[in-house]
Amino acid sequence: MPKSKRARIVPTSKVQKKGKEHALKLFGDIRNCADTYPYAYVFAVDNMRNKHLKDIRQELEGSRLFLGKTKVMAKSLGLTPPDEYAAGLSSLSAHLHGENSLLFSHLPPTALLPILDAFHPFSPSRTSTPAPLTLTLPAGVVYSNPTTVMPEDDVPLAHSLEPTIRGLGVPSRLVKGKILLENAYTVCKEGETLDGKQARLLRVFGVERAEFGVRVLAWWEAATGEVKEVGAMDVEA
């Protein structure tokens, strides 16, 4: 009888080898960029969204962004002056921790920081994040944009969404093609952690308050080997 293919044993060495190869590639790519680009930046991302990050990549065409393991990235730059890959990089690597990431660019801080400062799109909040506002649906007809439009200027929420919001906990009913509430219903309170249903309801009602942003924490200049923290520098200089 042929051996079953459903219970194959996968050698852990294969998984480890792939992880090691990825780390080595990341290590080498970062060092190649240190040889190529005149500036390196450590940055943090607020309210990470892949779509917005893709827009940033396009805006900074020609630059290289690395969102990988901070330990590998820091080691590739050098953790101490004796083992740093280029002068000053160990001071930059000290900022690589948590979910911070690395950017190499031909743009100096005076050109790059204004681009990032101007890019702050909003997105719907996600599950397990703080509610950005208190949302209470008043009794009566349920409207589409209760947080941004006055009732007299708003339009009723589409009747086809009644089963959706009722399934998400809103005690609604459909009367003559309109969604109604017998009593006011609070979807969420500002600052409280959103659960999955609350996050979906905020999306239904067009609430987009999660602000995406890229914050540069420190930068390195290859020509001088100098590292500066953004808060301690004058960008207009």
Side-chain angles (χ1 to χ4, degrees):
M1 187 172 181
K3 187 181 295 185
S4 172
K5 296 182 179 180
R6 300 172 65 183
R8 287 184 174 180
I9 298 175
V10 179
T12 57
S13 58
K14 290 186 178 181
V15 178
Q16 293 171 352
K17 183 178 180 181
K18 183 177 180 181
K20 185 177 181 180
E21 287 177 351
H22 176 75
L24 288 174
K25 184 178 186 306
L26 177 63
F27 188 95
D29 286 347
I30 288 174
R31 290 200 162 183
N32 286 338
C33 285
D35 289 331
T36 305
Y37 291 87
Y39 298 97
Y41 302 83
V42 171
F43 66 92
V45 179
D46 298 322
N47 293 306
M48 174 67 170
R49 299 290 189 275
N50 288 334
K51 174 184 179 299
H52 298 325
L53 191 65
K54 182 179 179 181
D55 292 338
I56 283 290
R57 289 182 186 273
Q58 293 176 346
E59 189 73 22
L60 300 177
E61 187 176 2
S63 300
R64 289 289 305 274
L65 280 74
F66 293 93
L67 289 81
K69 295 182 178 179
T70 52
K71 288 184 178 179
V72 176
M73 292 193 290
K75 192 171 182 180
S76 67
L77 298 180
L79 302 177
T80 62
D83 66 7
E84 61 187 9
Y85 185 67
L89 281 179
S90 62
S91 296
L92 187 68
S93 71
H95 296 275
L96 281 169
H97 52 75
E99 297 184 357
N100 294 345
S101 301
L102 192 59
L103 164 69
F104 287 91
S105 180
H106 291 288
L107 296 176
T110 50
L112 185 135
L113 295 183
I115 293 174
L116 299 180
D117 288 343
F119 190 81
H120 288 277
F122 289 87
S123 300
S125 298
R126 289 179 170 174
T127 303
S128 300
T129 61
L133 79 173
T134 296
L135 175 58
T136 299
L137 305 176
V141 176
V142 178
Y143 287 91
S144 299
N145 301 282
T147 63
T148 57
V149 181
M150 297 297 292
E152 58 268 24
D153 298 321
D154 204 351
V155 295
L157 189 67
H159 66 85
S160 59
L161 288 173
E162 195 278 330
T164 299
I165 66 171
R166 180 160 34 87
L168 295 173
V170 179
S172 60
R173 60 193 182 95
L174 196 60
V175 179
K176 296 181 179 179
K178 292 185 177 181
I179 304 174
L180 298 179
L181 290 178
E182 292 290 343
N183 301 294
Y185 178 78
T186 298
V187 174
C188 60
K189 293 183 178 180
E190 184 175 359
E192 293 184 351
T193 301
L194 294 171
D195 61 27
K197 291 183 177 181
Q198 292 170 318
R200 287 184 63 191
L201 282 170
L202 290 182
R203 186 184 294 269
V204 168
F205 291 105
V207 178
E208 296 188 351
R209 299 288 184 88
E211 185 178 7
F212 174 90
V214 176
R215 294 180 290 110
V216 173
L217 306 176
W219 62 276
W220 167 82
E221 183 176 6
T224 62
E226 187 177 15
V227 171
K228 288 187 177 180
E229 294 184 6
V230 171
M233 64 172 284
D234 182 3
V235 182
E236 302 299 328

